[in-house]
Amino acid sequence: MISRIRKFLFLRLLPAALLLLPAMFIAGGCAGGVPSSEELRNVNVSVDYSRPGNWIILPDAHTPPREVDVFYVYPTIVAHEDHPYMDWSSPSVREKAVNIAAQQTGVFSDIGTIYAPYYRQGEYFRVIREAAAKPEDQVYTRLGIEDIRKAFRYYLEHYNKGRPFILFGHSQGAMVLLELMKSEFRDPKIRGRLVAAYLIGYPKMPKTFPDHPHIRLARGACDTGVVICYNSESPDAVKSIFTGPDTYCINPLNWRTDDSKADASMNRGAVFFDGKNHIVSEEKNFCSAVINPETGALIVVPAKPGKYDSELMGKGVYHMNDIYFFYRNLADNARERVGAFWK
């Protein structure tokens, strides 16, 4: 009974922001070549990323050419106590993944060519339990980490053609990409092509990486080859698994890492979506933001009241809206970092 209630709450509380942008960003990865349920549930079988059905987004003949790529990993979208890993052979699961990927990657759709693989991510409740304990040492993200590592290697060999790229992930997607960076980005040839890694909503992002000195954290608006992370909360938020002592945070309004407040006038546009491919609202000057130096939380105060948290995450935890509150600021910042990279 508890499992069914949790599943119901998760599906009901996914905000409208977890839905669609126009379908022009979706390639043929959702039709044809989709693996079977048996293949995906066999953890000893590797995902074949030469099959278009194992990619949510791939460019096609109609995709405009870009000088930069975006390699994107979606957040947690499955919540079912009976199934520990995502199975995208299910049409309903694929549809949900497509919706979220299209919506989130719209931030960078005018900046880079999007590549987004499916991966056998860990189920929501299992990952949350482990993230609350130690986000960098999980069991249920390991399979997804290996899938993304294989997808990234395939992308580099067959699609990238030497272009610079942005890494982009939210929540579990950010967690998986950070593990990718720990291993693959030891190679200076790969590291040298990284514009920036937007790993938003990573739980308790460390301030230093003594075992991985090649991972650098952003300190301003235009440094490159760096990791960008923040977690949004209200001033009166409950204690969260995403923030705490020694958590790194950068403010996406003023791109500072100290407690300098950024007024709502610096917010270039929050963007919210419905489930029918429409932006339901875009609000400039939506919120102010300031970093709490004790917890590493990005304290957000919307200019007008509204329901921006969820019962799943807890009062005042704006995890579901980390990207949407700062949609236009993120896009403008990516343009700035790409410009700095070319210089």
mmCIF file of all heavy atoms in Angstrom, residues 127-153:
data_model
loop_
_atom_site.group_PDB
_atom_site.id
_atom_site.type_symbol
_atom_site.label_atom_id
_atom_site.label_comp_id
_atom_site.label_asym_id
_atom_site.label_seq_id
_atom_site.Cartn_x
_atom_site.Cartn_y
_atom_site.Cartn_z
ATOM 1 N N VAL A 127 17.236 5.644 -4.886
ATOM 2 C CA VAL A 127 18.308 6.631 -5.037
ATOM 3 C C VAL A 127 18.228 7.691 -3.957
ATOM 4 O O VAL A 127 19.253 8.108 -3.398
ATOM 5 C CB VAL A 127 18.239 7.265 -6.443
ATOM 6 C CG1 VAL A 127 19.212 8.439 -6.559
ATOM 7 C CG2 VAL A 127 18.570 6.218 -7.511
ATOM 8 N N ILE A 128 17.018 8.129 -3.628
ATOM 9 C CA ILE A 128 16.852 9.142 -2.577
ATOM 10 C C ILE A 128 17.362 8.628 -1.244
ATOM 11 O O ILE A 128 18.052 9.338 -0.496
ATOM 12 C CB ILE A 128 15.377 9.571 -2.469
ATOM 13 C CG1 ILE A 128 15.016 10.511 -3.621
ATOM 14 C CG2 ILE A 128 15.092 10.242 -1.130
ATOM 15 C CD1 ILE A 128 15.665 11.873 -3.538
ATOM 16 N N ARG A 129 17.033 7.381 -0.909
ATOM 17 C CA ARG A 129 17.503 6.815 0.363
ATOM 18 C C ARG A 129 19.020 6.804 0.419
ATOM 19 O O ARG A 129 19.629 7.134 1.446
ATOM 20 C CB ARG A 129 16.943 5.408 0.549
ATOM 21 C CG ARG A 129 15.492 5.356 0.986
ATOM 22 C CD ARG A 129 15.118 3.977 1.481
ATOM 23 N NE ARG A 129 15.110 2.990 0.420
ATOM 24 C CZ ARG A 129 14.039 2.635 -0.285
ATOM 25 N NH1 ARG A 129 12.873 3.216 -0.025
ATOM 26 N NH2 ARG A 129 14.112 1.718 -1.224
ATOM 27 N N GLU A 130 19.652 6.419 -0.681
ATOM 28 C CA GLU A 130 21.113 6.360 -0.693
ATOM 29 C C GLU A 130 21.733 7.753 -0.728
ATOM 30 O O GLU A 130 22.756 7.999 -0.086
ATOM 31 C CB GLU A 130 21.582 5.535 -1.885
ATOM 32 C CG GLU A 130 21.228 4.069 -1.755
ATOM 33 C CD GLU A 130 21.779 3.219 -2.877
ATOM 34 O OE1 GLU A 130 22.099 3.761 -3.952
ATOM 35 O OE2 GLU A 130 21.905 1.999 -2.679
ATOM 36 N N ALA A 131 21.115 8.668 -1.480
ATOM 37 C CA ALA A 131 21.651 10.031 -1.556
ATOM 38 C C ALA A 131 21.597 10.719 -0.208
ATOM 39 O O ALA A 131 22.463 11.538 0.121
ATOM 40 C CB ALA A 131 20.878 10.842 -2.589
ATOM 41 N N ALA A 132 20.599 10.400 0.587
ATOM 42 C CA ALA A 132 20.492 10.990 1.921
ATOM 43 C C ALA A 132 21.651 10.552 2.806
ATOM 44 O O ALA A 132 22.060 11.273 3.721
ATOM 45 C CB ALA A 132 19.168 10.593 2.564
ATOM 46 N N ALA A 133 22.202 9.367 2.510
ATOM 47 C CA ALA A 133 23.317 8.868 3.304
ATOM 48 C C ALA A 133 24.656 9.333 2.747
ATOM 49 O O ALA A 133 25.430 10.005 3.429
ATOM 50 C CB ALA A 133 23.270 7.342 3.355
ATOM 51 N N LYS A 134 24.910 9.013 1.485
ATOM 52 C CA LYS A 134 26.208 9.358 0.887
ATOM 53 C C LYS A 134 26.065 9.372 -0.621
ATOM 54 O O LYS A 134 26.176 8.321 -1.279
ATOM 55 C CB LYS A 134 27.275 8.342 1.318
ATOM 56 C CG LYS A 134 28.710 8.840 1.111
ATOM 57 C CD LYS A 134 29.703 7.874 1.719
ATOM 58 C CE LYS A 134 31.126 8.415 1.582
ATOM 59 N NZ LYS A 134 32.127 7.456 2.096
ATOM 60 N N PRO A 135 25.818 10.527 -1.224
ATOM 61 C CA PRO A 135 25.500 10.571 -2.648
ATOM 62 C C PRO A 135 26.598 10.073 -3.569
ATOM 63 O O PRO A 135 26.317 9.617 -4.675
ATOM 64 C CB PRO A 135 25.211 12.061 -2.899
ATOM 65 C CG PRO A 135 25.824 12.786 -1.755
ATOM 66 C CD PRO A 135 25.753 11.851 -0.589
ATOM 67 N N GLU A 136 27.848 10.135 -3.129
ATOM 68 C CA GLU A 136 28.940 9.731 -4.014
ATOM 69 C C GLU A 136 29.222 8.225 -3.947
ATOM 70 O O GLU A 136 30.106 7.728 -4.642
ATOM 71 C CB GLU A 136 30.222 10.511 -3.681
ATOM 72 C CG GLU A 136 30.852 10.173 -2.339
ATOM 73 C CD GLU A 136 30.239 10.926 -1.170
ATOM 74 O OE1 GLU A 136 29.153 11.489 -1.323
ATOM 75 O OE2 GLU A 136 30.875 10.940 -0.093
ATOM 76 N N ASP A 137 28.485 7.497 -3.111
ATOM 77 C CA ASP A 137 28.750 6.067 -2.949
ATOM 78 C C ASP A 137 27.423 5.313 -2.954
ATOM 79 O O ASP A 137 26.952 4.865 -1.931
ATOM 80 C CB ASP A 137 29.524 5.821 -1.646
ATOM 81 C CG ASP A 137 29.949 4.367 -1.506
ATOM 82 O OD1 ASP A 137 30.011 3.672 -2.531
ATOM 83 O OD2 ASP A 137 30.220 3.931 -0.369
ATOM 84 N N GLN A 138 26.843 5.167 -4.135
ATOM 85 C CA GLN A 138 25.531 4.553 -4.252
ATOM 86 C C GLN A 138 25.606 3.224 -4.986
ATOM 87 O O GLN A 138 26.513 2.971 -5.771
ATOM 88 C CB GLN A 138 24.582 5.481 -5.020
ATOM 89 C CG GLN A 138 24.272 6.749 -4.253
ATOM 90 C CD GLN A 138 22.993 7.377 -4.745
ATOM 91 O OE1 GLN A 138 22.035 6.687 -5.075
ATOM 92 N NE2 GLN A 138 22.965 8.689 -4.783
ATOM 93 N N VAL A 139 24.613 2.396 -4.741
ATOM 94 C CA VAL A 139 24.473 1.118 -5.430
ATOM 95 C C VAL A 139 23.611 1.280 -6.669
ATOM 96 O O VAL A 139 23.964 0.819 -7.757
ATOM 97 C CB VAL A 139 23.871 0.059 -4.488
ATOM 98 C CG1 VAL A 139 23.534 -1.214 -5.270
ATOM 99 C CG2 VAL A 139 24.810 -0.248 -3.334
ATOM 100 N N TYR A 140 22.486 1.992 -6.532
ATOM 101 C CA TYR A 140 21.489 1.994 -7.603
ATOM 102 C C TYR A 140 21.796 2.981 -8.730
ATOM 103 O O TYR A 140 21.058 3.036 -9.700
ATOM 104 C CB TYR A 140 20.099 2.240 -7.018
ATOM 105 C CG TYR A 140 19.602 1.042 -6.252
ATOM 106 C CD1 TYR A 140 19.595 1.033 -4.860
ATOM 107 C CD2 TYR A 140 19.194 -0.108 -6.925
ATOM 108 C CE1 TYR A 140 19.169 -0.088 -4.157
ATOM 109 C CE2 TYR A 140 18.770 -1.237 -6.235
ATOM 110 C CZ TYR A 140 18.753 -1.220 -4.851
ATOM 111 O OH TYR A 140 18.344 -2.334 -4.161
ATOM 112 N N THR A 141 22.860 3.740 -8.616
ATOM 113 C CA THR A 141 23.278 4.559 -9.760
ATOM 114 C C THR A 141 24.396 3.909 -10.570
ATOM 115 O O THR A 141 24.739 4.397 -11.644
ATOM 116 C CB THR A 141 23.760 5.948 -9.291
ATOM 117 O OG1 THR A 141 24.839 5.789 -8.378
ATOM 118 C CG2 THR A 141 22.620 6.725 -8.639
ATOM 119 N N ARG A 142 24.955 2.817 -10.088
ATOM 120 C CA ARG A 142 26.139 2.241 -10.744
ATOM 121 C C ARG A 142 25.847 1.763 -12.160
ATOM 122 O O ARG A 142 26.663 1.968 -13.071
ATOM 123 C CB ARG A 142 26.689 1.090 -9.900
ATOM 124 C CG ARG A 142 27.327 1.547 -8.593
ATOM 125 C CD ARG A 142 27.796 0.372 -7.767
ATOM 126 N NE ARG A 142 28.256 0.808 -6.447
ATOM 127 C CZ ARG A 142 28.550 -0.026 -5.459
ATOM 128 N NH1 ARG A 142 28.429 -1.348 -5.640
ATOM 129 N NH2 ARG A 142 28.953 0.437 -4.296
ATOM 130 N N LEU A 143 24.711 1.116 -12.350
ATOM 131 C CA LEU A 143 24.378 0.627 -13.684
ATOM 132 C C LEU A 143 24.214 1.797 -14.648
ATOM 133 O O LEU A 143 24.703 1.764 -15.780
ATOM 134 C CB LEU A 143 23.099 -0.209 -13.633
ATOM 135 C CG LEU A 143 22.682 -0.891 -14.937
ATOM 136 C CD1 LEU A 143 23.765 -1.846 -15.424
ATOM 137 C CD2 LEU A 143 21.354 -1.631 -14.748
ATOM 138 N N GLY A 144 23.531 2.850 -14.198
ATOM 139 C CA GLY A 144 23.362 4.035 -15.037
ATOM 140 C C GLY A 144 24.674 4.723 -15.346
ATOM 141 O O GLY A 144 24.872 5.235 -16.454
ATOM 142 N N ILE A 145 25.573 4.741 -14.377
ATOM 143 C CA ILE A 145 26.895 5.338 -14.602
ATOM 144 C C ILE A 145 27.615 4.600 -15.726
ATOM 145 O O ILE A 145 28.212 5.223 -16.617
ATOM 146 C CB ILE A 145 27.726 5.314 -13.302
ATOM 147 C CG1 ILE A 145 27.158 6.315 -12.290
ATOM 148 C CG2 ILE A 145 29.205 5.618 -13.590
ATOM 149 C CD1 ILE A 145 27.712 6.133 -10.884
ATOM 150 N N GLU A 146 27.561 3.273 -15.708
ATOM 151 C CA GLU A 146 28.222 2.501 -16.760
ATOM 152 C C GLU A 146 27.546 2.718 -18.108
ATOM 153 O O GLU A 146 28.217 2.792 -19.147
ATOM 154 C CB GLU A 146 28.238 1.014 -16.393
ATOM 155 C CG GLU A 146 29.159 0.688 -15.237
ATOM 156 C CD GLU A 146 30.571 1.235 -15.438
ATOM 157 O OE1 GLU A 146 31.154 1.002 -16.523
ATOM 158 O OE2 GLU A 146 31.088 1.902 -14.532
ATOM 159 N N ASP A 147 26.207 2.823 -18.111
ATOM 160 C CA ASP A 147 25.513 3.108 -19.371
ATOM 161 C C ASP A 147 25.954 4.448 -19.949
ATOM 162 O O ASP A 147 26.255 4.566 -21.145
ATOM 163 C CB ASP A 147 24.000 3.131 -19.142
ATOM 164 C CG ASP A 147 23.404 1.740 -18.966
ATOM 165 O OD1 ASP A 147 24.113 0.745 -19.201
ATOM 166 O OD2 ASP A 147 22.218 1.662 -18.572
ATOM 167 N N ILE A 148 26.002 5.475 -19.100
ATOM 168 C CA ILE A 148 26.372 6.813 -19.579
ATOM 169 C C ILE A 148 27.834 6.851 -20.004
ATOM 170 O O ILE A 148 28.184 7.523 -20.986
ATOM 171 C CB ILE A 148 26.065 7.875 -18.508
ATOM 172 C CG1 ILE A 148 24.557 8.021 -18.342
ATOM 173 C CG2 ILE A 148 26.699 9.208 -18.860
ATOM 174 C CD1 ILE A 148 23.811 8.435 -19.608
ATOM 175 N N ARG A 149 28.681 6.131 -19.311
ATOM 176 C CA ARG A 149 30.081 6.075 -19.740
ATOM 177 C C ARG A 149 30.184 5.485 -21.140
ATOM 178 O O ARG A 149 30.922 6.000 -21.996
ATOM 179 C CB ARG A 149 30.901 5.247 -18.742
ATOM 180 C CG ARG A 149 32.378 5.161 -19.108
ATOM 181 C CD ARG A 149 33.175 4.411 -18.068
ATOM 182 N NE ARG A 149 33.283 5.195 -16.838
ATOM 183 C CZ ARG A 149 32.779 4.854 -15.665
ATOM 184 N NH1 ARG A 149 32.109 3.730 -15.547
ATOM 185 N NH2 ARG A 149 32.936 5.623 -14.619
ATOM 186 N N LYS A 150 29.434 4.415 -21.393
ATOM 187 C CA LYS A 150 29.469 3.794 -22.709
ATOM 188 C C LYS A 150 28.867 4.722 -23.761
ATOM 189 O O LYS A 150 29.395 4.865 -24.870
ATOM 190 C CB LYS A 150 28.716 2.469 -22.682
ATOM 191 C CG LYS A 150 28.852 1.687 -23.982
ATOM 192 C CD LYS A 150 28.378 0.253 -23.844
ATOM 193 C CE LYS A 150 28.671 -0.521 -25.128
ATOM 194 N NZ LYS A 150 28.253 -1.937 -25.027
ATOM 195 N N ALA A 151 27.759 5.404 -23.412
ATOM 196 C CA ALA A 151 27.128 6.342 -24.349
ATOM 197 C C ALA A 151 28.056 7.500 -24.673
ATOM 198 O O ALA A 151 28.151 7.933 -25.828
ATOM 199 C CB ALA A 151 25.819 6.866 -23.759
ATOM 200 N N PHE A 152 28.750 8.009 -23.665
ATOM 201 C CA PHE A 152 29.654 9.136 -23.871
ATOM 202 C C PHE A 152 30.825 8.729 -24.773
ATOM 203 O O PHE A 152 31.219 9.485 -25.673
ATOM 204 C CB PHE A 152 30.156 9.656 -22.532
ATOM 205 C CG PHE A 152 31.046 10.863 -22.628
ATOM 206 C CD1 PHE A 152 30.516 12.098 -22.950
ATOM 207 C CD2 PHE A 152 32.407 10.762 -22.383
ATOM 208 C CE1 PHE A 152 31.335 13.221 -23.053
ATOM 209 C CE2 PHE A 152 33.227 11.875 -22.473
ATOM 210 C CZ PHE A 152 32.692 13.107 -22.808
ATOM 211 N N ARG A 153 31.351 7.555 -24.552
ATOM 212 C CA ARG A 153 32.441 7.085 -25.400
ATOM 213 C C ARG A 153 31.967 6.906 -26.836
ATOM 214 O O ARG A 153 32.695 7.240 -27.788
ATOM 215 C CB ARG A 153 33.000 5.769 -24.851
ATOM 216 C CG ARG A 153 33.791 5.939 -23.557
ATOM 217 C CD ARG A 153 34.201 4.606 -22.971
ATOM 218 N NE ARG A 153 35.021 4.770 -21.769
ATOM 219 C CZ ARG A 153 35.404 3.771 -20.988
ATOM 220 N NH1 ARG A 153 35.055 2.522 -21.288
ATOM 221 N NH2 ARG A 153 36.138 4.002 -19.915
#
